[in-house]
């Protein structure tokens, strides 16, 4: 009968580790814990107290201060493995796990899985011939000595590497050893562990060599197993599901990955986010479940590569929300187009006061535009315009409405055309205001065409040019022949303006009359 001794390497989340140990030993298996000496001492004391007297639990004979890429990770694994081999003679298999690992199958399934195939599960590929290493140092991991941690002492790490290269201090692996490489996470049979520990006792040069290699947890056990086990008894795969990015970083799994994970042909998965409490709870319950059938599809590695490749090529699995159909056909977008911003803003203020229709100001021109809090998408004007359709949809969602009023400058013809091309019904209300010389002079200054020191003769030359330009904007807007186009004019009777507002907003005539008579609406 299969009995598993789990070699558990952990360095944080003491309460989670206690729960993990209890879960793994609840059905008769064993756990040997190595808790990093870098962790707070009170955390380790809490774990020892919580697990005191717990059946099937032991602790590594020696605790190490572990660092990524260092020999300390191998030393910690060896310390726990030797203790497990001595402490639990009934253990048939030894499975290396981390505190970020969770089962993705039931214990019953795991035992059948290991019992049906008399083999070791460990990645073990030729170090120099395989393409297992994706980025960073390759041969330099072995042929040079590494005394410093690359993450903590990068300057010394690379200085030592450069010095050895300059002095040509390359070294060869120990005699008769073909170095192999693969994932740190494995499951080995008792006979393999016993043979491996015996080999280490006979060959002290092996740990001495690997002690100064870089990232030895990916080469040490992988090499030893290949030398004590016939290759036909090695399944060159990890029993733990783990995916890596193109940059060699592990992929983290979250709550919505449950169904994907249990379909994979693995027993455990790494890394499970500590924030994914729902996923952790469901997987913990799964380990102790009985009579569960699993349909294995094993699509996760290929699916991850496929989706990542699409992203690299600028394509995506699904459109971003701002690229999707932005507004429903029953939504109504009411665009007030006015060159005199103060007139349009008086009207939107009146609409907000006298109706329940949300109205915002020049949101593509002014940072403050009577907007609700929309998060980062509305933080800058460039971002608003870049995601303009998404912004309109978000505004409708935020206001809980199907009708929205917003202001635009007549110069923004491409923006107006793009919004009008959306699925929502678009209505245009053009405010036709007289643009006298005083306004034109102010426009020259606002747009930077003239300053305080610009000679009046130059300004007078520019005035007719700018006047024609603004008239052209208004005519261009009319020539676009929108299906719903109304005009509000300072020269029109109040009743005519009221009718235009009633059509534009779908409001009662009395309310439209009040809006048309907004005090000082067209006043400069």
């Amino acid at each position: 009968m299969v009995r598993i001794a789990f070699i558990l390497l952990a360095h944080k989340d003491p309460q989670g580790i206690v729960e993990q140990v209890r879960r793994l030993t609840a059905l008769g298996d064993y756990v040997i814990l190595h808790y990093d000496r870098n962790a707070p001492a009170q955390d380790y004391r809490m774990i020892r107290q919580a697990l005191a007297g717990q059946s099937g639990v032991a602790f590594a004979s020696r605790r190490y201060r572990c660092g990524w890429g260092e020999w300390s990770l191998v030393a910690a694994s060896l310390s726990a493995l030797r203790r497990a081999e001595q402490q639990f003679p009934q253990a048939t298999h030894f499975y290396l796990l981390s505190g970020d690992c969770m089962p993705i199958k039931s214990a019953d399934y795991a035992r059948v899985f290991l019992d049906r195939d008399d083999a070791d599960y460990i990645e073990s590929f030729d170090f120099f011939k395989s393409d297992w290493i994706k980025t960073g140092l390759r041969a330099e991991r072995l042929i040079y000595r590494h005394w410093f941690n690359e993450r903590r002492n990068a300057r010394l790490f690379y200085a030592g590497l450069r010095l050895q290269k300059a002095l040509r201090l390359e070294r060869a692996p120990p005699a008769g050893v073909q170095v192999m490489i693969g994932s740190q996470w494995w499951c080995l049979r008792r006979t393999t562990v016993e043979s491996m520990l015996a080999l280490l006792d006979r060959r002290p040069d092996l740990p001495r060599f690997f002690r100064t290699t870089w990232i030895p947890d990916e080469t040490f056990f992988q090499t030893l197993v290949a030398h004590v086990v016939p290759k036909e008894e090695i399944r060159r795969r990890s029993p733990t599901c783990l995916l890596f990015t193109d940059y060699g970083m592990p992929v983290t799994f979250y709550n919505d990955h449950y169904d994907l994970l249990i379909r994979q042909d693995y027993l455990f998965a790494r890394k499970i986010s500590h924030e994914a409490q729902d996923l952790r709870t469901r997987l913990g319950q799964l380990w102790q479940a009985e009579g569960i059938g699993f349909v294995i599809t094993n699509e996760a590695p290929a699916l991850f590569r496929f989706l990542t490749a699409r992203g690299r090529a600028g394509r995506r699995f699904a459109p971003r929300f701002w690229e999707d159909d932005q507004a429903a056909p029953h939504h109504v977008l009411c665009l007030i187009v006015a060159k005199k911003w103060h007139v349009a803003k008086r009207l939107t203020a009146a609409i907000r006061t006298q109706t329940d229709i949300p109205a915002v100001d020049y949101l593509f021109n002014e940072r403050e535009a009577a907007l609700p809090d929309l998060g980062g998408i509305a933080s800058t004007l460039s971002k608003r315009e870049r995601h303009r359709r998404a912004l309109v949809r978000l505004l409708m969602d935020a206001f809980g409405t199907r009708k929205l009023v917003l202001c635009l400058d007549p110069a923004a013809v491409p923006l107006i055309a793009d919004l009008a091309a959306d699925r929502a019904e678009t209505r245009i209300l053009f405010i036709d205001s007289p643009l006298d010389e005083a306004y034109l002079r102010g426009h020259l200054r606002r747009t930077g065409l003239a300053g305080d020191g610009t000679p009046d003769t130059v300004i007078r030359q520019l005035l007719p040019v700018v006047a024609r330009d603004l008239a052209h904007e208004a005519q261009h807007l009319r020539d676009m022949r929108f299906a719903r186009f109304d005009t509000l004019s300072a020269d029109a009777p109040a009743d005519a303006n009221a009718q235009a507002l009633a059509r534009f907003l779908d409001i009662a005539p009395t309310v439209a009359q009040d809006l048309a008579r907004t005090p000082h609406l067209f006043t400069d």
Side-chain angles (χ1 to χ4, degrees):
M1 176 183 176
V2 170
R3 300 284 291 277
I4 306 172
F6 293 100
I7 312 300
L8 181 58
L9 305 182
H11 65 280
K12 61 183 179 181
D13 188 20
Q15 184 57 45
I17 296 302
V18 170
E19 295 171 0
Q20 187 178 24
V21 170
R22 288 173 174 166
R23 178 172 53 247
L24 293 175
T25 57
L27 300 178
D29 294 310
Y30 313 103
V31 170
I32 300 84
L33 174 64
H34 178 278
Y35 199 72
D36 197 331
R37 281 193 66 191
N38 288 315
Q42 62 268 25
D43 288 356
Y44 184 61
R45 287 195 297 269
M46 188 277 277
I47 293 174
R48 293 295 296 248
Q49 292 170 2
L51 297 176
Q54 180 85 33
S55 176
V57 177
F59 293 85
S61 302
R62 178 181 173 183
R63 292 172 62 210
Y64 291 84
R65 297 185 183 276
C66 297
W68 187 87
E70 295 180 359
W71 169 256
S72 53
L73 285 173
V74 176
S77 303
L78 269 177
S79 175
L81 186 62
R82 287 187 182 275
R83 178 69 186 277
E85 190 265 341
Q86 298 168 1
Q87 184 84 12
F88 303 116
Q90 295 83 10
T92 60
H93 292 75
F94 299 83
Y95 198 130
L96 184 65
L97 292 175
S98 79
D100 292 327
C101 295
M102 290 290 293
I104 58 174
K105 297 293 186 295
S106 65
D108 289 345
Y109 181 97
R111 293 191 179 102
V112 172
F113 180 93
L114 295 174
D115 192 44
R116 72 187 179 198
D117 190 12
D118 188 20
D120 297 300
Y121 288 85
I122 183 171
E123 287 188 351
S124 184
F125 303 99
D126 188 286
F127 182 93
F128 294 101
K129 295 180 180 179
S130 72
D131 62 349
W132 197 89
I133 300 174
K134 301 302 181 185
T135 60
L137 301 181
R138 295 179 182 271
E140 294 92 341
R141 291 189 183 194
L142 299 180
I143 65 176
Y144 297 114
R145 297 164 179 82
H146 302 278
W147 299 283
F148 304 101
N149 186 287
E150 191 261 354
R151 292 188 174 181
R152 291 199 305 267
N153 298 292
R155 185 177 62 83
L156 293 175
F157 179 90
Y158 288 105
L161 186 59
R162 289 192 298 269
L163 179 62
Q164 292 178 79
K165 287 182 177 181
L167 298 177
R168 297 183 179 181
L169 298 179
E170 298 90 346
R171 60 175 177 173
V177 171
Q178 179 185 10
V179 179
M180 311 296 280
I181 191 168
S183 167
Q184 174 187 2
W185 312 105
W186 40 254
C187 180
L188 306 176
R189 297 167 295 174
R190 171 172 282 277
T191 54
T192 300
V193 170
E194 291 173 344
S195 299
M196 188 171 60
L197 295 178
L199 175 63
L200 290 175
D201 292 338
R202 297 194 306 271
R203 295 281 306 268
D205 60 318
L206 295 179
R208 186 165 56 246
F209 171 78
F210 283 100
R211 191 182 300 273
T212 53
T213 60
W214 181 231
I215 320 181
D217 53 283
E218 294 178 350
T219 55
F220 182 74
F221 293 106
Q222 296 76 3
T223 300
L224 296 185
V225 170
H227 282 75
V228 300
V229 176
K231 62 181 180 180
E232 59 270 16
E233 295 181 17
I234 300 176
R235 304 295 173 258
R236 296 187 177 186
R237 48 160 293 192
S238 171
T240 298
C241 178
L242 65 162
L243 303 177
F244 287 95
T245 68
D246 292 348
Y247 305 102
M249 300 301 292
V251 174
T252 301
F253 298 106
Y254 295 92
N255 287 336
D256 55 350
H257 288 125
Y258 177 83
D259 292 327
L260 175 72
L261 288 174
I262 66 173
R263 293 197 304 267
Q264 307 315 303
D265 191 19
Y266 298 92
L267 304 181
F268 284 74
R270 183 179 188 275
K271 338 174 33 167
I272 308 299
S273 171
H274 286 274
E275 297 177 357
Q277 290 303 312
D278 180 61
L279 177 61
R280 286 178 165 270
T281 299
R282 296 179 71 184
L283 293 178
Q285 294 170 347
L286 179 65
W287 178 252
Q288 300 182 49
E290 297 180 357
I292 303 294
F294 295 91
V295 177
I296 305 300
T297 57
N298 215 34
E299 77 277 26
L303 183 61
F304 180 77
R305 288 193 298 270
F306 170 72
L307 296 180
T308 303
R310 288 175 67 87
R312 293 284 182 270
R315 301 162 64 199
R316 294 183 289 275
F317 179 64
R320 297 296 191 252
F321 76 92
W322 56 81
E323 298 170 334
D324 202 357
D325 287 332
Q326 296 308 316
H330 64 276
H331 286 166
V332 178
L333 183 59
C334 301
L335 304 179
I336 297 176
V337 182
K339 199 65 186 180
K340 290 187 175 180
W341 292 5
H342 56 280
V343 177
K345 289 161 74 171
R346 286 192 195 117
L347 181 58
T348 55
I351 292 172
R352 288 192 292 268
T353 301
Q354 300 180 44
T355 76
D356 59 358
I357 302 172
V360 298
D361 298 332
Y362 287 84
L363 74 165
F364 298 110
N365 303 96
E366 298 179 307
R367 185 174 177 82
E368 299 298 330
L371 292 177
D373 183 10
L374 298 175
I377 192 171
S379 60
T380 64
L381 297 180
S382 61
K383 187 179 291 188
R384 292 179 194 177
E385 185 165 351
R386 187 166 61 249
H387 305 311
R388 47 189 173 265
R389 292 194 185 184
L391 181 57
V392 170
R393 192 185 70 182
L394 286 175
L395 283 169
M396 289 186 174
D397 291 343
F399 285 120
T401 184
R402 69 176 189 87
K403 185 185 296 181
L404 176 68
V405 177
L406 59 89
C407 300
L408 293 172
D409 190 286
V413 171
L415 180 59
I416 297 170
D418 184 66
L419 292 175
D422 200 1
R423 295 195 305 170
E425 178 187 343
T426 305
R427 302 174 184 176
I428 307 294
L429 180 67
F430 175 59
I431 300 182
D432 188 8
S433 300
L435 306 179
D436 56 18
E437 183 176 330
Y439 176 84
L440 294 176
R441 285 178 176 270
H443 180 76
L444 287 172
R445 289 182 171 83
R446 286 190 296 272
T447 56
L449 295 175
D452 293 337
T454 302
D456 192 64
T457 54
V458 174
I459 292 178
R460 288 193 172 278
Q461 290 175 338
L462 289 175
L463 285 175
V465 177
V466 172
R468 286 194 298 269
D469 186 59
L470 297 184
H472 174 75
E473 289 180 0
Q475 188 58 46
H476 191 181
L477 186 68
R478 292 187 178 96
D479 291 343
M480 294 176 75
R481 301 189 181 281
F482 294 102
R484 297 290 299 270
F485 185 94
D486 283 287
T487 300
L488 205 67
S489 174
D491 298 327
D495 288 344
N497 285 339
Q499 292 173 13
L501 286 167
R503 290 190 297 268
F504 179 63
L505 298 173
D506 276 334
I507 55 177
T510 54
V511 178
Q513 288 282 353
D514 292 338
L515 290 176
R517 289 180 169 82
T518 299
H520 311 292
L521 179 58
F522 295 101
T523 303
D524 289 333

